[in-house]
Amino acid sequence: MKLKKISRPKWIPRWLSLPFIIFIAFIVMLLFYGENNYMLINQQKKEIDKMNAQIKVMEDSAKFYERKTQELNTDKETLEKIAREQYGMKRTNEEVFETDIP
């Protein structure tokens, strides 16, 4: 009993075989389908980078406000300046005139 050898059509390259096709299909499946696909991981990395940038901005603004708070707690002149300019406060027996002239 002779087994007949299946010949490969001429349009299929010699290096292309069934195990190779299965391997390529498996790699494509890992890259584009499932929970941990490449697209999802890439999107999540971008979100992480955005959030890290936001954290940096928030830390910088927190440091700025900590410095301002420390300055207000220690410097009486700055505290008085802000109270007068922003809140319109005045000392007792003092008159304040507000004008529209810049």
Side-chain angles (χ1 to χ4, degrees):
M1 213 183 218
K2 281 188 168 183
L3 292 174
K4 192 174 189 183
K5 186 176 180 183
I6 300 173
S7 64
R8 178 186 313 258
K10 289 184 179 182
W11 57 272
I12 298 178
R14 178 174 229 151
W15 52 268
L16 193 61
S17 65
L18 184 61
F20 183 71
I21 293 172
I22 292 172
F23 176 73
I24 295 297
F26 180 71
I27 296 298
V28 168
M29 185 183 73
L30 287 177
L31 286 176
F32 298 107
Y33 299 105
E35 293 179 5
N36 297 324
N37 65 39
Y38 175 75
M39 304 290 217
L40 183 63
I41 290 172
N42 196 20
Q43 180 184 5
Q44 289 172 346
K45 282 183 181 180
K46 287 180 183 178
E47 288 180 22
I48 289 171
D49 291 341
K50 284 181 188 177
M51 288 179 184
N52 284 335
Q54 287 178 347
I55 287 171
K56 175 110 174 85
V57 169
M58 296 297 175
E59 286 175 347
D60 291 344
S61 66
K63 288 178 185 176
F64 172 77
Y65 287 116
E66 284 175 5
R67 277 188 265 124
K68 284 292 187 183
T69 303
Q70 186 65 27
E71 183 179 342
L72 289 174
N73 287 335
T74 57
D75 191 12
K76 298 288 184 188
E77 292 175 6
T78 305
L79 181 64
E80 183 177 341
K81 179 182 172 188
I82 290 174
R84 287 175 176 269
E85 290 176 358
Q86 292 184 0
Y87 301 107
M89 299 175 95
K90 63 179 185 171
R91 292 184 180 161
T92 55
N93 300 328
E94 182 180 56
E95 292 183 21
V96 177
F97 298 100
E98 294 182 17
T99 63
D100 294 336
I101 302 171

